[in-house]
Tab-separated table of all heavy atoms in Angstrom:
chain	number	residue	atom	x	y	z
A	6	TYR	N	-30.931	13.459	7.327
A	6	TYR	CA	-29.951	12.882	8.260
A	6	TYR	C	-28.668	13.693	8.242
A	6	TYR	O	-28.105	14.041	9.286
A	6	TYR	CB	-29.668	11.433	7.868
A	6	TYR	CG	-28.823	10.661	8.884
A	6	TYR	CD1	-29.425	9.821	9.808
A	6	TYR	CD2	-27.434	10.788	8.910
A	6	TYR	CE1	-28.668	9.099	10.729
A	6	TYR	CE2	-26.677	10.084	9.833
A	6	TYR	CZ	-27.290	9.240	10.726
A	6	TYR	OH	-26.543	8.547	11.645
A	12	TYR	N	-23.327	16.880	8.194
A	12	TYR	CA	-22.359	16.246	7.293
A	12	TYR	C	-22.050	17.185	6.138
A	12	TYR	O	-22.869	18.014	5.754
A	12	TYR	CB	-22.924	14.943	6.716
A	12	TYR	CG	-22.966	13.811	7.704
A	12	TYR	CD1	-24.006	13.712	8.627
A	12	TYR	CD2	-21.976	12.834	7.722
A	12	TYR	CE1	-24.062	12.688	9.540
A	12	TYR	CE2	-22.023	11.794	8.627
A	12	TYR	CZ	-23.056	11.715	9.542
A	12	TYR	OH	-23.114	10.694	10.436
A	32	HIS	N	-17.707	13.730	6.985
A	32	HIS	CA	-18.552	14.365	7.993
A	32	HIS	C	-18.143	15.813	8.258
A	32	HIS	O	-18.939	16.724	8.127
A	32	HIS	CB	-18.535	13.587	9.308
A	32	HIS	CG	-19.293	14.247	10.401
A	32	HIS	ND1	-18.700	14.735	11.540
A	32	HIS	CD2	-20.611	14.561	10.505
A	32	HIS	CE1	-19.621	15.300	12.311
A	32	HIS	NE2	-20.784	15.211	11.714
A	33	ASP	N	-16.866	16.031	8.621
A	33	ASP	CA	-16.445	17.362	9.041
A	33	ASP	C	-14.962	17.548	8.747
A	33	ASP	O	-14.154	16.687	9.078
A	33	ASP	CB	-16.706	17.540	10.541
A	33	ASP	CG	-16.491	18.961	11.015
A	33	ASP	OD1	-15.324	19.370	11.114
A	33	ASP	OD2	-17.469	19.667	11.304
A	40	LEU	N	-9.983	11.852	7.616
A	40	LEU	CA	-9.253	10.578	7.624
A	40	LEU	C	-10.154	9.509	8.203
A	40	LEU	O	-10.736	9.681	9.275
A	40	LEU	CB	-7.986	10.686	8.469
A	40	LEU	CG	-7.227	9.380	8.715
A	40	LEU	CD1	-6.630	8.839	7.423
A	40	LEU	CD2	-6.117	9.557	9.753
A	41	GLY	N	-10.278	8.406	7.498
A	41	GLY	CA	-11.068	7.269	7.984
A	41	GLY	C	-10.948	6.103	7.033
A	41	GLY	O	-10.798	6.284	5.822
A	57	ASP	N	-24.329	3.013	7.525
A	57	ASP	CA	-23.073	2.643	8.182
A	57	ASP	C	-21.975	3.651	7.856
A	57	ASP	O	-21.207	4.060	8.734
A	57	ASP	CB	-22.655	1.240	7.748
A	57	ASP	CG	-21.707	0.568	8.754
A	57	ASP	OD1	-21.797	0.894	9.949
A	57	ASP	OD2	-20.898	-0.270	8.322
A	58	ALA	N	-21.905	4.064	6.591
A	58	ALA	CA	-20.891	5.046	6.193
A	58	ALA	C	-21.082	6.361	6.945
A	58	ALA	O	-20.117	6.965	7.433
A	58	ALA	CB	-20.951	5.285	4.695
A	59	LEU	N	-22.316	6.798	7.057
A	59	LEU	CA	-22.617	8.042	7.781
A	59	LEU	C	-22.219	7.926	9.248
A	59	LEU	O	-21.539	8.804	9.799
A	59	LEU	CB	-24.111	8.362	7.663
A	59	LEU	CG	-24.599	8.866	6.299
A	59	LEU	CD1	-26.108	8.740	6.205
A	59	LEU	CD2	-24.176	10.319	6.083
A	60	ARG	N	-22.632	6.843	9.876
A	60	ARG	CA	-22.360	6.645	11.307
A	60	ARG	C	-20.857	6.582	11.571
A	60	ARG	O	-20.333	7.225	12.498
A	60	ARG	CB	-23.034	5.361	11.773
A	60	ARG	CG	-22.818	5.014	13.240
A	60	ARG	CD	-23.503	3.702	13.584
A	60	ARG	NE	-22.969	2.584	12.813
A	60	ARG	CZ	-21.869	1.910	13.145
A	60	ARG	NH1	-21.166	2.256	14.219
A	60	ARG	NH2	-21.441	0.896	12.416
A	61	LEU	N	-20.145	5.828	10.745
A	61	LEU	CA	-18.711	5.655	10.950
A	61	LEU	C	-17.938	6.942	10.699
A	61	LEU	O	-16.973	7.231	11.388
A	61	LEU	CB	-18.199	4.529	10.052
A	61	LEU	CG	-18.703	3.124	10.384
A	61	LEU	CD1	-18.374	2.150	9.250
A	61	LEU	CD2	-18.102	2.627	11.698
A	62	ALA	N	-18.362	7.703	9.685
A	62	ALA	CA	-17.674	8.967	9.372
A	62	ALA	C	-17.768	9.950	10.527
A	62	ALA	O	-16.787	10.610	10.893
A	62	ALA	CB	-18.260	9.577	8.099
A	63	ARG	N	-18.950	10.067	11.106
A	63	ARG	CA	-19.141	10.969	12.237
A	63	ARG	C	-18.299	10.516	13.432
A	63	ARG	O	-17.699	11.336	14.135
A	63	ARG	CB	-20.617	11.024	12.608
A	63	ARG	CG	-20.947	12.029	13.718
A	63	ARG	CD	-22.457	12.283	13.768
A	63	ARG	NE	-22.785	13.169	14.867
A	63	ARG	CZ	-23.333	12.773	16.021
A	63	ARG	NH1	-23.607	11.492	16.210
A	63	ARG	NH2	-23.610	13.634	16.966
A	64	GLY	N	-18.228	9.200	13.626
A	64	GLY	CA	-17.409	8.679	14.697
A	64	GLY	C	-15.939	9.034	14.529
A	64	GLY	O	-15.238	9.325	15.509
A	65	MET	N	-15.463	9.066	13.284
A	65	MET	CA	-14.068	9.418	13.043
A	65	MET	C	-13.802	10.893	13.307
A	65	MET	O	-12.704	11.268	13.733
A	65	MET	CB	-13.673	9.071	11.603
A	65	MET	CG	-13.509	7.577	11.343
A	65	MET	SD	-12.378	6.736	12.489
A	65	MET	CE	-10.870	7.646	12.215
A	66	THR	N	-14.781	11.751	13.079
A	66	THR	CA	-14.620	13.168	13.413
A	66	THR	C	-14.311	13.310	14.897
A	66	THR	O	-13.377	14.031	15.302
A	66	THR	CB	-15.889	13.968	13.072
A	66	THR	OG1	-16.067	13.985	11.656
A	66	THR	CG2	-15.808	15.393	13.583
A	67	TYR	N	-15.085	12.625	15.724
A	67	TYR	CA	-14.907	12.700	17.172
A	67	TYR	C	-13.589	12.054	17.599
A	67	TYR	O	-12.878	12.585	18.463
A	67	TYR	CB	-16.090	12.046	17.884
A	67	TYR	CG	-17.306	12.931	17.930
A	67	TYR	CD1	-18.140	13.082	16.841
A	67	TYR	CD2	-17.624	13.637	19.086
A	67	TYR	CE1	-19.245	13.905	16.867
A	67	TYR	CE2	-18.737	14.479	19.145
A	67	TYR	CZ	-19.551	14.597	18.024
A	67	TYR	OH	-20.637	15.426	18.071
A	68	LYS	N	-13.274	10.912	16.992
A	68	LYS	CA	-12.052	10.208	17.370
A	68	LYS	C	-10.822	11.034	17.036
A	68	LYS	O	-9.922	11.191	17.877
A	68	LYS	CB	-11.985	8.862	16.640
A	68	LYS	CG	-10.832	7.968	17.066
A	68	LYS	CD	-11.028	6.558	16.544
A	68	LYS	CE	-10.062	5.591	17.191
A	68	LYS	NZ	-10.403	4.186	16.906
A	69	ASN	N	-10.772	11.587	15.836
A	69	ASN	CA	-9.610	12.381	15.429
A	69	ASN	C	-9.499	13.671	16.225
A	69	ASN	O	-8.395	14.089	16.592
A	69	ASN	CB	-9.688	12.679	13.925
A	69	ASN	CG	-9.532	11.433	13.067
A	69	ASN	OD1	-8.976	10.445	13.502
A	69	ASN	ND2	-10.035	11.489	11.848
A	70	ALA	N	-10.644	14.294	16.502
A	70	ALA	CA	-10.622	15.540	17.276
A	70	ALA	C	-10.153	15.296	18.700
A	70	ALA	O	-9.315	16.027	19.227
A	70	ALA	CB	-12.006	16.185	17.272
A	71	ALA	N	-10.698	14.262	19.335
A	71	ALA	CA	-10.323	13.951	20.714
A	71	ALA	C	-8.874	13.530	20.829
A	71	ALA	O	-8.227	13.741	21.856
A	71	ALA	CB	-11.228	12.854	21.277
A	77	GLY	N	-10.091	15.810	10.051
A	77	GLY	CA	-11.527	15.641	10.211
A	77	GLY	C	-11.912	14.165	10.119
A	77	GLY	O	-11.058	13.281	10.154
A	78	GLY	N	-13.214	13.939	9.981
A	78	GLY	CA	-13.709	12.571	9.978
A	78	GLY	C	-14.381	12.174	8.682
A	78	GLY	O	-15.198	12.921	8.133
A	79	GLY	N	-14.044	10.998	8.200
A	79	GLY	CA	-14.681	10.446	7.012
A	79	GLY	C	-14.611	8.932	7.052
A	79	GLY	O	-13.926	8.359	7.900
A	80	LYS	N	-15.298	8.295	6.137
A	80	LYS	CA	-15.292	6.829	6.080
A	80	LYS	C	-15.790	6.382	4.718
A	80	LYS	O	-16.567	7.092	4.057
A	80	LYS	CB	-16.204	6.249	7.167
A	80	LYS	CG	-15.819	4.847	7.614
A	80	LYS	CD	-14.631	4.862	8.549
A	80	LYS	CE	-14.397	3.493	9.165
A	80	LYS	NZ	-13.340	3.508	10.181
A	262	ASN	N	-17.023	0.500	20.601
A	262	ASN	CA	-18.459	0.506	20.930
A	262	ASN	C	-18.783	-0.399	22.122
A	262	ASN	O	-19.647	-1.270	22.042
A	262	ASN	CB	-19.271	0.082	19.702
A	262	ASN	CG	-18.986	0.932	18.482
A	262	ASN	OD1	-18.920	2.147	18.577
A	262	ASN	ND2	-18.781	0.284	17.347
A	283	ASP	N	-14.073	4.418	24.666
A	283	ASP	CA	-13.280	3.592	23.750
A	283	ASP	C	-12.603	4.383	22.645
A	283	ASP	O	-11.437	4.151	22.323
A	283	ASP	CB	-14.128	2.456	23.178
A	283	ASP	CG	-15.516	2.897	22.743
A	283	ASP	OD1	-15.611	3.848	21.958
A	283	ASP	OD2	-16.496	2.278	23.194
A	284	TYR	N	-13.319	5.330	22.030
A	284	TYR	CA	-12.716	5.987	20.881
A	284	TYR	C	-11.597	6.953	21.265
A	284	TYR	O	-10.805	7.382	20.421
A	284	TYR	CB	-13.756	6.665	19.989
A	284	TYR	CG	-14.370	7.951	20.509
A	284	TYR	CD1	-13.699	9.169	20.424
A	284	TYR	CD2	-15.669	7.962	21.015
A	284	TYR	CE1	-14.276	10.347	20.857
A	284	TYR	CE2	-16.258	9.140	21.459
A	284	TYR	CZ	-15.565	10.336	21.371
A	284	TYR	OH	-16.138	11.496	21.799
A	285	VAL	N	-11.500	7.267	22.553
A	285	VAL	CA	-10.390	8.097	23.022
A	285	VAL	C	-9.198	7.214	23.375
A	285	VAL	O	-8.060	7.479	22.962
A	285	VAL	CB	-10.801	8.934	24.254
A	285	VAL	CG1	-9.623	9.811	24.719
A	285	VAL	CG2	-12.006	9.804	23.935
A	287	ASN	N	-8.532	4.068	22.443
A	287	ASN	CA	-7.977	3.183	21.411
A	287	ASN	C	-7.539	3.923	20.150
A	287	ASN	O	-7.432	3.346	19.083
A	287	ASN	CB	-8.974	2.060	21.067
A	287	ASN	CG	-10.226	2.540	20.339
A	287	ASN	OD1	-10.284	3.676	19.849
A	287	ASN	ND2	-11.236	1.688	20.265
A	291	VAL	N	-5.010	5.187	14.832
A	291	VAL	CA	-5.236	6.302	13.899
A	291	VAL	C	-4.166	7.387	14.067
A	291	VAL	O	-3.755	8.022	13.082
A	291	VAL	CB	-6.662	6.876	14.059
A	291	VAL	CG1	-6.829	7.666	15.349
A	291	VAL	CG2	-7.024	7.748	12.877
A	336	ASP	N	-17.299	13.253	24.009
A	336	ASP	CA	-17.916	13.997	22.909
A	336	ASP	C	-17.699	15.498	23.086
A	336	ASP	O	-17.412	16.216	22.124
A	336	ASP	CB	-19.423	13.711	22.856
A	336	ASP	CG	-19.733	12.302	22.383
A	336	ASP	OD1	-18.804	11.588	21.964
A	336	ASP	OD2	-20.918	11.922	22.436
A	339	ALA	N	-14.197	16.620	22.126
A	339	ALA	CA	-14.051	16.732	20.676
A	339	ALA	C	-14.793	17.955	20.132
A	339	ALA	O	-14.255	18.722	19.332
A	339	ALA	CB	-14.558	15.460	20.007
Side-chain angles (χ1 to χ4, degrees):
Y6 188 98
Y12 287 81
H32 175 245
D33 188 286
L40 172 67
D57 202 29
L59 287 163
R60 179 181 61 83
L61 293 168
R63 184 165 177 257
M65 287 306 302
T66 294
Y67 282 78
K68 187 167 192 169
N69 293 338
K80 206 78 171 186
N262 305 315
D283 44 54
Y284 74 79
V285 181
N287 69 14
V291 72
D336 289 352

